[in-house]
Amino acid sequence: MVEVLVVRLKVAVDVGGTFTDLVAVNLETGELFKVKVHSTPRAPEKGFLEAVKTLLKQVDDPSVELVVHVNTVGTNLFRGQLGLRLPKTALVTTKGFRDVLEIGRQNRPELYNIFYRRPDPVVPRERRFEVLERVDSDGVVLTPVDENELAKVADVMREIGVESLAVCFLNSYVNPVNEQKAKQFLTKILPAPVFASHEVDPEHREYERFSTTVVNAALAPVVARYLSAVTEGLREIGVYSPVHIMSSSGGLVDVEEAVSRPVACIESGPAAGVIGAARMAEMTGFRKVISFDMGGTTAKAGVVVDGLPATVPEIEVGGRVHMGRVVKGSGYPVRFPSIDLAEVSAGGGTIITVDSSGSLMVGPLSAGADPGPACYGLGGTMPTVTDTNLLLGRVEHLLGGAMKLDQTLAEKAMKKVAEQLRVSVLDCAWYSLVLVNLQMARAIHIVTLERGLDPSEFVLFAFGGAGPMHAAELAEEIGVSTVVVPPSPGLFSSLGLLMTDMRYSYVKGFVKLLEPGDEHLIEEKFRELETTAYNSLRNKIDIKQFRVIRRIDMRYYGQGYEIEVEVSKPFSLRKAVEKFEMLHSSIYGYGHAGEKIEATAVRVALIIPSGHTKLKSAVSRRSVEKRVRKVFFRDGFHETVVLRRELLGSGFEAEGPLIVEEYDSTTVVPPEWRLSVDETGCMVLRK
């Protein structure tokens, strides 16, 4: 009798704008399986399931133990993606506060444009309902909520077909009793899901709390439908494993959490690559890393210091991005910890045009997956960054040769732009490459120079399908002398998912002037929050092993902004103040030693190890297949050696210019750069 050896797999899927990437690891041997298929933007679950089906055909007797996934539906919903619509969402709030969402803050995205219109509220005024209730700033209930009034409001909502409901009362973050009563009552009599602000974002500042809760309510039905389609589709093809989702803060959460708090995962897409860069940095011994992810639609930059990605406490969704920065006031605030990222429209599919002044312009429009760059031969007629790299000899094909690129179509598309500029097609391609690199350099400067960090002290980790092609010349632009290209760079966000722990974030808001006797009080708040976190998780996931990260929001008395300060257990006020003043000086350039300090929130993150993926070590190889082609660099065409990455073993070294091709990406090593392969399989480029 022949024993059948089951291949135990952990599968990660990243649905991008152009391609859907899948990486699976054999949990016994560390062997990787890679799949790359075209995305299906109108129905992203189709591309997801197609990638999994392709994997199952490649592996004999597979057993999928866990599926981890990047959920981009929330982001796409607020970008107006075709095929997605905002559910009919309603708001129940304190009498006199129905217009908080519309008043917002006084940020004006276009200060001198008197005709500028703010984005329409997620909930229009006719679906914002007031009830008579009141809790004061100390948490004292002045007016209890009236169930008869709630019943009348519920009748109206039922008539207009409300699909999701947010309950946001004033000062509920201090005392949620009225919100709790309203949610319990409305949940019983309405078919729509109900979300209360004290559960979604229990912090001060009612506009941000209301906005976060309303966005959460609007996302929930869409995310629930998508994840239901994914899990049901997996069952249909014989995969019954749990599904975990990447959160915006850089950890995994279960499907239940993603459905009940979808704001936690609204920026999950870019986070996976940064976490992967953090894990690879630990393996390779680099302390300061710039994460650079260039895919088919955008390029994203983040920063990792000592293994910890930089985070921000609040983001805006659905807003405009200008030169990598989200324009304040142009979108909807969402207050949830997120990886600090700058994003620019600079991907392989980014379209090259001439603007009204006759200048070359790269982006912001993208050819996407359909029709894609001109060289794909799928109907695209506008030149893109991929066409540029093809014309310069840097790339010849995609997917390891399975997808051929048409140089004639690329030339024809680029010629339209070149003629408008009165330059040759080759010059137009080179200028486009320089321009897109400048745009990506700006994104890196946002997360380094604008955060008080010197990029020259960092190593550039380059990944994404197009990242390694631009990395070395981009590094020269920002003053970085070392570039690391990890294994499977075009699928690295999926690989990052395999390296990610589960992470659940909790916060409790309050406003308290800190005094010497407050250590016990703050410690008690931390313990209460940790107990809440543990109790909410113990019934749905295995949390035998976990670690807790504690943070407290602090500010000088009278300030309108806070700094998150990581603190130890038990809480020490002296150490917290010292760390706060040090952080304030490093961020803002000054401090006020001895001034009164307020705390505004305590935060707890539970980190549950998911079992880090062990990858195969790089193998030493001696024979390397070489061929030569002409590649254009700054001073003209160079005879350039082309290598296959799978044949480059640990200890391999070579001088540029070089092209290194692999299934999911291509790496360009310019003249005056040197390539080596370390024991982890990473390619290290040094100037």
Side-chain angles (χ1 to χ4, degrees):
M1 183 176 178
V2 179
E3 183 182 359
V4 177
L5 296 177
V6 175
V7 180
R8 296 174 56 240
L9 298 174
K10 183 176 179 181
V11 179
V13 185
D14 175 16
V15 179
T18 307
F19 287 103
T20 293
D21 301 334
L22 180 150
V23 173
V25 63
N26 184 326
L27 294 173
E28 305 294 342
T29 66
E31 180 185 3
L32 290 180
F33 302 91
K34 308 170 190 178
V35 175
K36 205 174 184 76
V37 300
H38 282 285
S39 292
T40 51
R42 291 173 185 264
E45 69 276 8
K46 291 183 179 179
F48 175 101
L49 295 170
E50 182 59 35
V52 178
K53 289 177 189 175
T54 304
L55 168 73
L56 298 180
K57 292 175 184 175
Q58 293 179 0
V59 183
D60 293 329
D61 299 305
S63 172
V64 178
E65 308 282 315
L66 177 66
V67 176
V68 289
H69 177 36
V70 162
N71 171 27
T72 58
V73 173
T75 308
N76 296 341
L77 179 66
F78 282 93
R79 285 178 176 169
Q81 178 180 302
L82 292 174
L84 294 176
R85 67 166 184 86
L86 276 172
K88 191 176 280 188
T89 308
L91 168 68
V92 175
T93 189
T94 307
K95 187 172 179 61
F97 288 86
R98 71 190 292 198
D99 293 323
V100 164
L101 283 178
E102 205 143 6
I103 295 168
R105 297 292 173 194
Q106 293 200 24
N107 299 328
R108 288 180 61 88
E110 298 177 25
L111 190 60
Y112 300 107
N113 180 3
I114 61 174
F115 301 107
Y116 175 76
R117 279 192 60 186
R118 298 173 68 95
D120 294 333
V122 175
V123 181
R125 200 169 197 268
E126 64 269 18
R127 294 205 300 268
R128 302 198 296 261
F129 304 95
E130 297 180 339
V131 294
L132 190 63
E133 71 80 39
R134 197 59 180 261
V135 174
D136 71 11
S137 59
D138 294 321
V140 177
V141 178
L142 303 178
T143 307
V145 67
D146 185 351
E147 289 188 355
N148 292 325
E149 195 175 5
L150 288 172
K152 292 176 183 177
V153 168
D155 288 340
V156 178
M157 289 191 284
R158 201 179 294 108
E159 284 179 17
I160 63 177
V162 165
E163 298 171 76
S164 188
L165 173 63
V167 180
C168 303
F169 291 162
L170 202 65
N171 296 320
S172 62
Y173 73 97
V174 183
N175 182 356
V177 63
N178 277 356
E179 254 190 23
Q180 288 170 340
K181 185 177 179 181
K183 179 182 176 178
Q184 289 169 3
F185 181 80
L186 292 169
T187 300
K188 288 178 184 176
I189 63 174
L190 284 175
V194 182
F195 301 90
S197 71
H198 74 275
E199 295 174 330
V200 177
D201 179 27
E203 296 185 68
H204 72 306
R205 297 193 179 100
E206 62 270 14
Y207 170 56
E208 286 76 12
R209 178 160 49 87
F210 284 23
S211 175
T212 303
T213 308
V214 164
V215 168
N216 192 80
L219 284 173
V222 179
V223 171
R225 283 195 296 269
Y226 170 71
L227 291 178
S228 176
V230 164
T231 52
E232 287 176 13
L234 287 173
R235 291 191 190 101
E236 287 175 5
I237 59 176
V239 177
Y240 298 92
S241 67
V243 177
H244 291 165
I245 310 298
M246 171 65 86
S247 72
S248 307
S249 61
L252 298 175
V253 297
D254 61 281
V255 168
E256 183 183 333
E257 177 79 359
V259 170
S260 63
R261 277 208 298 178
V263 287
C265 304
I266 198 166
E267 285 292 327
S268 80
V274 182
I275 296 300
R279 297 289 176 263
M280 291 301 298
E282 290 176 350
M283 293 167 62
T284 51
F286 293 110
R287 286 188 56 246
K288 295 183 176 182
V289 165
I290 296 167
S291 161
F292 169 60
D293 177 5
M294 183 181 180
T297 309
T298 60
K300 295 165 280 287
V303 163
V304 178
V305 177
D306 292 330
L308 297 175
T311 59
V312 291
E314 180 184 313
I315 59 173
E316 277 196 21
V317 299
R320 291 190 290 108
V321 177
H322 178 69
M323 297 299 183
R325 300 174 185 83
V326 174
V327 180
K328 279 288 187 182
S330 66
Y332 308 102
V334 168
R335 199 158 47 177
F336 194 87
S338 302
I339 300 288
D340 185 15
L341 288 164
E343 183 173 9
V344 290
S345 178
T350 300
I351 292 172
I352 300 161
T353 56
V354 176
D355 66 17
S356 57
S357 69
S359 300
L360 185 66
M361 186 167 72
V362 181
L365 297 178
S366 173
D370 182 16
C375 60
Y376 282 13
L378 299 175
T381 58
M382 300 294 291
T384 66
V385 173
T386 298
D387 296 301
T388 290
N389 282 305
L390 175 61
L391 293 170
L392 297 175
R394 296 170 175 230
V395 64
E396 286 185 333
H397 51 71
L398 301 177
L399 305 182
M403 185 175 177
K404 303 296 182 183
L405 302 180
D406 191 320
Q407 181 146 351
T408 302
L409 291 176
E411 286 180 5
K412 183 179 178 181
M414 190 67 72
K415 189 176 180 181
K416 299 175 186 176
V417 175
E419 286 177 346
Q420 293 180 69
L421 296 173
R422 297 181 182 178
V423 298
S424 69
V425 168
L426 187 63
D427 284 344
C428 188
W430 174 249
Y431 299 153
S432 299
L433 184 78
V434 171
L435 188 55
V436 76
N437 285 344
L438 283 170
Q439 288 180 198
M440 294 186 292
R442 290 193 187 102
I444 291 173
H445 286 155
I446 289 170
V447 295
T448 53
L449 292 175
E450 293 189 15
R451 307 290 191 263
L453 303 171
D454 182 356
S456 66
E457 298 175 357
F458 285 71
V459 169
L460 186 69
F461 263 64
F463 51 94
M469 215 177 312
H470 293 253
E473 286 154 334
L474 176 59
E476 290 180 343
E477 187 67 40
I478 61 175
V480 168
S481 59
T482 303
V483 173
V484 176
V485 180
S488 305
L491 300 161
F492 190 68
S493 288
S494 296
L495 196 59
L497 284 169
L498 296 176
M499 302 177 180
T500 305
D501 293 326
M502 301 195 78
R503 181 188 181 107
Y504 292 83
S505 300
Y506 298 84
V507 60
K508 176 60 180 172
F510 63 95
V511 179
K512 175 75 173 67
L513 191 64
L514 292 174
E515 297 172 344
D518 285 341
E519 281 190 344
H520 177 73
L521 173 67
I522 302 299
E523 177 63 26
E524 189 62 31
K525 287 185 180 294
F526 273 119
R527 289 182 180 177
E528 287 176 3
L529 196 57
E530 288 168 12
T531 301
T532 299
Y534 182 82
N535 288 338
S536 69
L537 295 177
R538 65 179 180 176
N539 294 327
K540 59 181 180 179
I541 57 174
D542 182 8
I543 51 173
K544 292 177 182 176
Q545 289 186 327
F546 66 93
R547 62 188 177 94
V548 176
I549 296 176
R550 288 179 163 192
R551 288 191 172 94
I552 183 169
D553 290 9
M554 302 173 73
R555 66 187 183 189
Y556 287 120
Y557 181 68
Q559 283 183 332
Y561 53 88
E562 299 81 34
I563 296 175
E564 280 189 31
V565 179
E566 189 169 338
V567 295
S568 57
K569 184 177 182 178
F571 176 74
S572 166
L573 181 59
R574 179 184 60 80
K575 291 180 180 178
V577 168
E578 287 176 357
K579 189 174 285 190
F580 164 75
E581 293 186 329
M582 179 188 70
L583 286 170
H584 196 284
S585 295
S586 66
I587 294 170
Y588 298 107
Y590 68 94
H592 291 299
E595 285 290 320
K596 296 178 181 178
I597 294 174
E598 281 184 319
T600 61
V602 292
R603 302 177 185 274
V604 163
L606 258 65
I607 313 296
I608 304 161
S610 59
H612 286 174
T613 301
K614 295 179 180 178
L615 305 180
K616 275 188 171 181
S617 300
V619 179
S620 254
R621 297 183 189 269
R622 293 182 181 177
S623 61
V624 176
E625 294 181 15
K626 297 180 181 180
R627 54 193 178 90
V628 175
R629 72 168 180 252
K630 289 186 177 181
V631 179
F632 191 91
F633 293 97
R634 182 179 290 107
D635 55 349
F637 279 103
H638 289 246
E639 292 289 332
T640 302
V641 173
V642 181
L643 305 172
R644 288 171 53 196
R645 183 168 186 178
E646 60 268 28
L647 300 178
L648 307 184
S650 172
F652 175 84
E653 293 187 0
E655 299 282 348
L658 295 167
I659 299 289
V660 182
E661 295 180 338
E662 54 190 306
Y663 169 73
D664 48 280
S665 189
T666 298
T667 300
V668 174
V669 185
E672 301 180 8
W673 283 75
R674 183 173 186 81
L675 167 72
S676 61
V677 180
D678 68 14
E679 61 276 6
T680 67
C682 288
M683 293 192 298
V684 182
L685 284 61
R686 289 189 170 88
K687 183 71 184 291

